Amino acid sequence: MDWGNILGQSITQGLGVLAVIYALAAIGLNVHFGYTGLLNFGQAGFLAVAAYGLAVTIVVLELPLFVGVVIGLLAAVALALLLGIPTLRLRADYLAIVTIAAAEIIRLLVRSVTLRDIFGGSDGINAFANEFFSYSPFSAGLELGPVRLSQNDLWVVVVGWTLVALSCLLVWLLMRSPWGRVIKAIREDEDAVRSLGKNVYFYKMQALIIGGVLGSLGGFIFAVGFQSVQPDSYATDLTFFAYAVLILGGAGRVMGPVLGAVVFWFLLVFIDGTLAQLVQNGTITFIRTDQVGQVRYWILGLSLMLLMIYRPQGILGDKKELALDAR
Amino acid sequence: MRPRVASWLAAMAAAVLMLLGIGGVAAAAPAAGASGQVGGVSSLADTPLADDDSAVAATEVKGVVTDPNREPIAAVQLDVTNSEDVTDPSGTVIPAGEFTATVETKDDGTWAVPLPGGGRYSVTIDTGTLPEGIGLADPDQDTRTVNVLPEKSGTVLFRTADGENGGGTAGRSTLDRALQLTVDGLLFGLTIALAAIGLSLIFGTTGLTNFSHGELVTLGALTTYFFSSIVGLPFVLAAAVAVLVCGLLGGVQDKALWGRLRKRGTGVIAMLVVSIGFGILLRYVYLFFFGGNTRQFNAYAGQAGIQLGPVLVTPKSMVAAVVAVAFLLATAFWLLRTRSGKASRAISDNPALASASGIDVERVINRVWIYGAGLAALAGIIYSLNNGVNWFQGFQILLLTFAGVTLGGLGTAFGAIVGSLIVGVMIQVSTLVVPPELKNVGALLILIIILLIRPQGILGRRERVG
Amino acid sequence: MPDDDAAALEQADIAEERAQFAHTTIAGELLGRRKAVEALADVPHEPGVPKPDPILVADGIVRRFGGLVAVDVAHAEIQRGSITALVGPNGAGKTTFFNLLTGFDQPNEGKWSFNGIELKGKAAYKVARLGMVRTFQLTKALSRMKVIDNMALGAKDQKGEHFWAAVIPGIWRRQEQSIEAKADGLLARFKLDTKREDFAGSLSGGQRKLLEMARALMSDPDMVMLDEPMAGVNPALTQSLLGHIMDLREQGMTVLFVEHDMDVVRSISDWVIVMGQGKVIAEGPPDAVMSNPAVIDAYLGAHHDKALTDTGESLSFTEPE
C-alpha cells in the first residue's frame, strides 16, 4: 500500500479545484436551504449559466474575460428571478421541483444539436481560459510535501479559495444583521414573519439571488479550472453532491460548506485510492478496478443517508438547536 | 376501409396472443445493435488517481450503424472528439476537444477511427445523414461518450428505430404526425402515470418527497431482465414475478427504512435528503451488478409496427397500454371502493384525524408502499420494452414523473394520472414544433407555466393558513 | 391529545380563576375599560350594528372553498379601543374571517377598511405594517431563534433589514440597540426576561403565547388580532395572559380575539360578535349575547354531543380541539 501517494492525492483534492467548486456551490445552497429554508434543487443550473456565460462570451462573442464574468453573474441573477417569480409564493416542494426542472432544461438546451453553434453541443466549449491564466503571478507549480499542484491549478486554487473566503465573509456579515434575522425567521415560519410586516416574498427572492450568485462563482471556477464547459457536468448529481457537502459540514453555519467540501473530497479520493490499491494488490477480489468508482458512490449515498439520520446537524452544527426543528 | 379493419383485427389478435404470453407475432426482428455505451453517465468530474499515460498504438473507437431490421446503413457521418486531455504515444498532451475526426460508415455499416491515446471520447452521429424514415431510438442520444483504454478499442453503437420515436414521422402530414405523436405520448404518459401513483400516494400519506422512487422503476426492469433473460422464465411470467417481488420489496423498504424514520420523528426535509442518498446508493449498486450497458429483453427486442389508420403502433406497446390501463383502473377501484384505499385517502387528508378514527395508519402506509412499488416496477418494465434496460432509467424519468405528480396536484392519485398523461402527450406532441432532443424542455416549461396559473395543480386543493 | 388535557384542566380551574378575575378587575378601576363600555352602551344588540368609532369596517365579505361558503359576513364593525371577542362553534368561519381581515387569505367578494384605509387586495405584510398585527391559533414561535431575536424581528422600519445596509453594521447598530432596549422592556413586562437568550423552541406553550403577543407589540400596533390566545395554555399562565390582554386596551390598542372559553370572554371583553356557519348571528355585550337564544341554538346545533354545561349563573362552552 502506498499510503503516502494516497494521502497526498487526497489532501491535494481536498484543497483542490473540485473542493473549491463544491464549497462555492454549497455556500450558495447554505443561503438557500441552510438559512432561508428554500429547497433549491437546481444549483447545478446556476453553475451552468455562469460557466456558459463566461465561455460563450469569450469564445463566441470574442469579448474579454471580465465581460464574461459580468454576463455570467447577470445570467445567474436572471435565472433566480425566473425561478423565483412563479414559485416563491408556493409551498416549498414546488420550488424543489421547478428548480430541478429548470436545471435540466438548461442542461438539455446547452447540449442540444440545435444550439451547437453557440454552446457546442454535448462537447461543450473548450480552451477559453488563456486570459485568466495570463494574469497568474505563478511561474511554477507547487510541491509542498504530499500536495502537488500544477502552475495553472495553483492559480485557479488561489483565486478559488479567495472567492470562498470572500463569500464566507459576505454570508457572515449578512447573517448577523437584521436582514439575516428576517431570513432565518422565514426558515422557521414564513407566516409569522409575514404577520410582523415583512415582505417575505421579496426576502426569499433576495436570498435566492444571493445564493445563486454565490453558486455561480463555483461555475466560473469550474469553467476556468478545467478550461472546458460540458453540459453533463451540470446534471442533477452536482446539486445532490453539493447538498451532501453542505449537510456534512453543517447547514446554517457559515463555515459548514467549506469544511464539508474539504472533508468530502478528501474522503472521496482517499476511499477511491485505498480501494483501488486494495483491488490492485489482490486484497479485495470481488471488485474489479473499473468498479472502484461505483463502490465509492455506494459509500457516498450511504453516508448521506446515515449522516442525515444520525447527525443531521453535520460536523459544525448544534444537535440541541436542530432538535427544535419541527419540520 | 377493409385494410384498416384487417389491421385492427391483427392488432387485437396480437394483443390477445401476447397477453396469453405466446408473443409469436413479436419475433419479427431483434433490436438493431444493442447499445454499446461504455461507462455510465457520471457528472462528477473524474478524479484520476492512477493515470496511465503510456499509450501505445492501435487505440481506436469503432462501431456499426444498422437499421431496426439489422440491415447495415452506409454513408452515415459520425464525429469523434476527445472530451478530456489525452496523451499521444510521443508524450504530447492533446487538450480536450483538440482531436477531431469525421468518418463515414462503409457499405457494411461499419466505421472506425484511430485515436491518439486512451481517454474519454465523444462520438456524435449526424442524424441528418440517416436514410429517410429512420431515426435514433432515443433522439436525445445522438452523442455517446466512450472511455477508450490505451491499446484497446472502444465500441459505440447507436440504436435506430423507425416510426415510433425517431425521425420516422418526418414527411407525413401534420395531422397524421400529431395523431401519431398523441398516441405515442399517451403510451408514454401511461408509463409515467404508473410510476407517479406511488410517488404521489407516498407523498400524500407520509409527506416524503421520494427522490429514490426512480430506483423502484429501474428495479422492475432489472428483475424482469433477471427472471426472463437469466433464469429463463417466459417474459410475461417474469414480468409478473418482478412486479410481485418489487411490490414486496417496497413494503420491506418501508418497514426497514422509512417506517423507522417516521417513528424517530425525522422531518420530511431530512427524509427527502435521505431519499437522495438512498437513490445514489441503489443506482450504483445496480450499476455494479448490471453493468453500464443498455440491454434488451430477449423476447421483444425489436418489433415491427402495425399501421392503424395513420398511426403506427407496435403490438407490444398496445399490450403494454392495455395492461397499464387495467392496473390504473384497479388502483382507482382500490382507492374508491376498498377499506384500505379509502383509509389511504383519509390519511392524506388528515393523518391525525385518520389515526384518531381508528385507522391503523402504519399498516395502510405499508400497503401504499407495496402497491406503489409494484406499479413503479410495472412502469419500469413497460418503459424498457421500447427503451431497453439500464441502471439509471428510473432516475431518467423521475423528473418527468415529478412533473406529472406536480401538475396533477401533489398528493392526489387521480391528479397524478391526469398530470402524467398530459406530460406524456405534451412531450411527444411538442416535437411538432421543437427538435426531438428538446422535447423534455417543452414539457418542463409547460409544468412551470401551469404552476404559475394554477399553483395547486390541476386536481389539488389550496391550504388554509393558521 | 394534550390539548384535551389542557382543556380539562382549564375547566377544572375555572371557578378558582373567576374569583381572581373579579379581584383584579374590581381593584383596578380600569379607565380603558370604562371608556369602551360607555362608548358601546347605546349600541343596539343586533348583528352588523354600526359602532360610534369603528377602527375596522367589513362589508359583504364572502369566502367560498369549492361549493362551501366558509364566510359570509354582511357587515361588521369593531369599536376602537375595545376588546371584542369573536366566538362561535367549530367551523363557524372565525379563523377564516381572521385570515381574510389580515390579508392571509383573499375573499371572493367584499371589502373592508382599517383606520379608513381600504385593505382589499393588500398583502398580509402590508396589513401588518398599517398597524393591524395578528397572532396564530397554533403558536408560531420561531423555534431555532433566540427569544430576543424573536422580539427584535417584530420592530418596524429597521434599516438593517435592507440588503445593502445589512453588510455595513455601522448603518444599523444604533437602531438595533434601541430595538433591543424596547424588547427588553417588553420581555420584562411579560416576565420572559430570564429567557432572553434561550431558543424560542425551548419555551412552554404558554410562554410562547406570551412571546408571540410581546413580539406583536414590538411594532406598536393600533390593533391586535389574537387567534385563540388561551388555547393550550397552562392554567397557571391564563391569568397573566388575560391581564396582558386587558393591559393592551388600557394602552389604547384595539383587540379582537377568537376564544372558546365563555368565562374568558365574559371577564375581559366589552363586546362579543357571534359567528355561525360563516355569518354574524349575534352581537352585544357578553351577558346579553350569552342569553341570546340564537347563540345557544348555534352552539347546540353544532354540538349536540359536546359539553354544554350550566355552571350556575352562566353558560360555559368548552370545546375539546
Side-chain angles (χ1 to χ4, degrees), chain B residues 310-359:
Chain B
V311 178
L312 186 79
V313 193
T314 53
K316 63 182 179 187
S317 295
M318 275 190 285
V319 177
V322 170
V323 172
V325 169
F327 271 82
L328 290 177
L329 288 176
T331 309
F333 179 82
W334 177 68
L335 284 169
L336 296 175
R337 290 274 180 273
T338 68
R339 226 181 122 75
S340 63
K342 286 182 201 166
S344 81
R345 287 192 297 146
I347 295 169
S348 296
D349 247 22
N350 187 338
L353 186 64
S355 173
S357 56
I359 295 173

Side-chain angles (χ1 to χ4, degrees), chain A residues 5 9 13 18 22 33 37 39 41 82-83 85-87 90-91 93-94 96-98 100-102 104-105 108-109 111-116 122-123 126-127 191 222 226 228 230 232-238 240-241 243 247 264-265 268-269 272-274 276 280 286-288 291 293-302 304-305 308-310 326-327, chain B residues 41-50 79 81-84 95-98 122-124 140-145 203 207 209 211 257 261 264-281 283-289 395 399 402-403 406 409-410 435 437-438 440-441 444-445 447-448 451-452 455-457 461 463 465-466:
Chain A
N5 186 31
Q9 290 274 2
Q13 289 296 334
L18 284 165
Y22 278 82
F33 175 70
L39 276 177
F41 278 106
L82 268 174
L83 293 178
I85 289 169
T87 48
L90 310 180
R91 234 166 43 184
D93 344 40
Y94 287 103
I97 290 157
V98 168
I100 200 173
E104 270 302 282
I105 289 176
L108 292 172
L109 281 177
R111 88 189 295 284
S112 70
V113 178
T114 321
L115 301 172
R116 178 143 67 181
S122 55
D123 294 335
N126 299 296
D191 278 334
F222 208 159
F226 291 83
S228 146
Q230 285 175 6
D232 295 335
S233 312
Y234 303 96
T236 312
D237 277 1
L238 188 150
F240 286 172
F241 295 140
Y243 265 94
I247 288 158
F264 180 89
W265 281 103
L268 208 61
V269 178
D272 212 25
T274 311
Q280 266 167 15
F286 61 92
I287 307 176
R288 294 193 314 269
Q291 290 176 320
Q294 302 164 12
V295 175
R296 164 176 100 165
Y297 285 97
W298 299 9
I299 297 167
L300 178 70
L302 202 58
L304 190 54
M305 290 173 72
M308 207 60 224
I309 297 171
Y310 295 107
R327 285 179 297 179
Chain B
V41 274
S42 147
S43 72
L44 198 62
D46 284 8
T47 51
L49 253 193
D79 299 320
T81 72
N82 56 335
S83 31
E84 65 179 9
E98 294 288 283
S122 68
V123 181
T124 308
D140 293 339
Q141 297 284 328
D142 66 317
T143 296
R144 290 276 163 80
T145 305
F203 176 84
T209 310
F211 274 92
L257 179 61
L261 292 186
R264 290 179 95 236
T266 309
V268 292
I269 291 181
M271 285 207 283
L272 183 158
V273 177
V274 171
S275 80
I276 289 177
F278 191 50
I280 294 173
L281 173 66
R283 275 202 293 290
Y284 285 92
V285 168
Y286 295 164
L287 174 62
F288 186 89
F289 290 107
F395 189 61
L399 190 53
F402 267 122
T406 315
L410 285 176
E437 58 173 358
L438 294 179
N440 288 357
V441 171
L444 295 174
L445 276 179
L447 166 73
I448 295 175
L451 283 181
L452 259 174
Q456 69 272 39
R461 272 181 330 192
E463 288 180 299
V465 187

Side-chain angles (χ1 to χ4, degrees), chain A residues 33-208:
Chain A
F33 175 70
Y35 288 109
T36 324
L38 298 175
L39 276 177
N40 168 23
F41 278 106
Q43 190 69 340
F46 284 101
L47 275 80
V49 293
Y52 271 92
L54 182 74
V56 168
T57 310
I58 295 175
V59 174
V60 182
L61 305 177
E62 297 180 359
L63 292 169
L65 178 76
F66 87 92
V67 181
V69 172
V70 170
I71 288 185
L73 289 174
L74 288 178
V77 173
L79 177 61
L81 289 171
L82 268 174
L83 293 178
I85 289 169
T87 48
L88 287 181
R89 289 183 205 275
L90 310 180
R91 234 166 43 184
D93 344 40
Y94 287 103
L95 182 70
I97 290 157
V98 168
T99 46
I100 200 173
E104 270 302 282
I105 289 176
I106 291 168
R107 189 179 67 87
L108 292 172
L109 281 177
V110 294
R111 88 189 295 284
S112 70
V113 178
T114 321
L115 301 172
R116 178 143 67 181
D117 291 342
I118 306 170
F119 299 115
S122 55
D123 294 335
I125 304 173
N126 299 296
F128 49 81
N130 292 341
E131 188 189 345
F132 174 76
F133 289 111
S134 73
Y135 299 131
S136 169
F138 303 110
S139 53
L142 178 76
E143 281 210 33
L144 202 85
V147 181
R148 253 168 287 156
L149 287 168
S150 73
Q151 184 188 333
N152 280 354
D153 279 355
L154 182 61
W155 177 226
V156 175
V157 166
V158 166
V159 172
W161 284 114
T162 310
L163 286 178
V164 169
L166 290 175
S167 304
C168 286
L169 180 69
L170 177 69
V171 171
W172 180 74
L173 280 173
L174 283 174
M175 292 310 161
R176 65 198 281 274
S177 75
W179 185 86
R181 187 162 58 211
V182 179
I183 288 294
K184 284 183 266 186
I186 290 171
R187 173 189 70 194
E188 299 301 307
D189 193 318
E190 56 178 84
D191 278 334
V193 181
R194 220 169 259 136
S195 76
L196 295 170
K198 319 288 177 197
N199 187 349
V200 169
Y201 179 70
F202 189 66
Y203 281 100
K204 288 206 283 190
M205 185 64 91
Q206 284 184 330
L208 189 64

Side-chain angles (χ1 to χ4, degrees), chain B residues 7 10 26 55 102 128 137 160 173 205 221 254 260 267 324 332 348 411-412 430 450 455 461:
Chain B
S7 63
T102 303
T160 53
S173 83
T205 49
D254 176 52
R260 290 187 186 189
S348 296
T412 67
S430 69
I450 290 190
R461 272 181 330 192

Side-chain angles (χ1 to χ4, degrees), chain B residues 87-286:
Chain B
T87 314
D88 77 4
S90 69
T92 319
V93 176
I94 302 171
E98 294 288 283
F99 171 83
T100 53
T102 303
V103 67
E104 266 191 11
T105 54
K106 293 181 231 157
D107 285 348
D108 60 354
T110 60
W111 59 275
V113 173
L115 299 174
R120 284 161 68 84
Y121 290 85
S122 68
V123 181
T124 308
I125 187 165
D126 185 348
T127 45
T129 57
L130 285 171
E132 185 83 345
I134 290 179
L136 290 181
D138 183 353
D140 293 339
Q141 297 284 328
D142 66 317
T143 296
R144 290 276 163 80
T145 305
V146 59
N147 200 5
V148 186
L149 298 172
E151 292 182 81
K152 296 272 160 43
S153 63
T155 307
V156 174
L157 298 170
F158 294 91
R159 206 154 64 81
T160 53
D162 47 25
E164 202 165 41
N165 291 309
T169 52
R172 292 154 60 185
S173 83
T174 309
L175 182 66
D176 283 2
R177 283 177 65 205
L179 267 175
Q180 174 75 52
L181 291 168
T182 307
V183 170
D184 291 346
L186 281 173
L187 293 175
F188 187 48
L190 284 170
T191 315
I192 305 177
L194 288 172
I197 286 181
L199 192 66
S200 185
L201 283 177
I202 289 166
F203 176 84
T205 49
T206 70
L208 168 67
T209 310
N210 186 8
F211 274 92
S212 65
H213 196 76
E215 278 53 62
L216 294 170
V217 173
T218 312
L219 189 65
L222 294 181
T223 40
T224 306
Y225 183 85
F226 174 78
F227 285 121
S228 67
S229 297
I230 295 171
V231 175
L233 295 182
F235 176 79
V236 172
L237 188 60
V241 173
V243 169
L244 282 177
V245 168
C246 291
L248 291 176
L249 284 178
V252 171
Q253 187 190 122
D254 176 52
K255 276 255 177 346
L257 179 61
W258 306 111
R260 290 187 186 189
L261 292 186
R262 287 194 296 274
K263 206 170 274 173
R264 290 179 95 236
T266 309
V268 292
I269 291 181
M271 285 207 283
L272 183 158
V273 177
V274 171
S275 80
I276 289 177
F278 191 50
I280 294 173
L281 173 66
L282 287 181
R283 275 202 293 290
Y284 285 92
V285 168
Y286 295 164

